[in-house]
Amino acid sequence: QVQLVESGGGLVQAGGSLRLSCVASGSIFSINAMGWYRQAPGKQRELVAAITSGGSTNYADSVKGRFTISRDNAKNTVYLQMNSLKPEDTAVYYCKMFALGPFDYDYWGQGTQVTVSS
């Protein structure tokens, strides 16, 4: 059974930094693409950043140049380094393991709260 456990959220002032971590278990982590999503109150969940098994990355326009996604396959962990945080980055951040194909499933973590004060 796949489990994803996020950590690293918290309260930070605008302009500050946080690093989120997501540890995966129950899967061959290195072959799955991974992503970070966020959901602010009253808004839809949105993709923040994703990284393939080969290390290719993509980002939402709103976080380009400020956030960096990375992975350590030896530790079954994906990270999201968030710099120059803004109040509009406030949300619950979720880790996602993308399904390998049509007969696989996406998996989600429980989420971690990030609050950026102005």
Side-chain angles (χ1 to χ4, degrees):
Q1 182 177 353
V2 175
Q3 285 192 316
L4 303 175
V5 179
E6 301 105 331
S7 61
L11 173 64
V12 64
Q13 288 189 332
S17 298
L18 285 174
R19 187 175 82 154
L20 306 183
S21 300
C22 172
V23 180
S25 60
S27 174
I28 305 174
F29 175 80
S30 62
I31 65 175
N32 288 82
M34 300 293 297
W36 285 98
Y37 285 69
R38 67 187 179 187
Q39 187 166 20
K43 295 188 176 181
Q44 288 190 330
R45 192 173 295 189
E46 63 174 357
L47 176 67
V48 175
I51 184 166
T52 68
S53 58
S56 298
T57 58
N58 69 284
Y59 298 90
D61 287 343
S62 59
V63 306
K64 281 180 181 176
R66 300 188 298 122
F67 290 11
T68 303
I69 189 171
S70 62
R71 65 191 298 161
D72 184 338
N73 290 337
K75 296 181 178 180
N76 284 6
T77 303
V78 62
Y79 303 97
L80 185 68
Q81 177 67 44
M82 305 186 294
N83 298 328
S84 302
L85 283 160
K86 304 175 181 180
E88 51 263 43
D89 294 318
T90 295
V92 178
Y93 284 71
Y94 298 91
C95 174
K96 176 182 174 179
M97 177 179 285
F98 288 87
L100 292 174
F103 301 105
D104 195 13
Y105 302 95
D106 293 333
Y107 295 94
W108 293 89
Q110 81 287 354
T112 185
Q113 176 71 47
V114 171
T115 303
V116 184
S117 63
S118 57

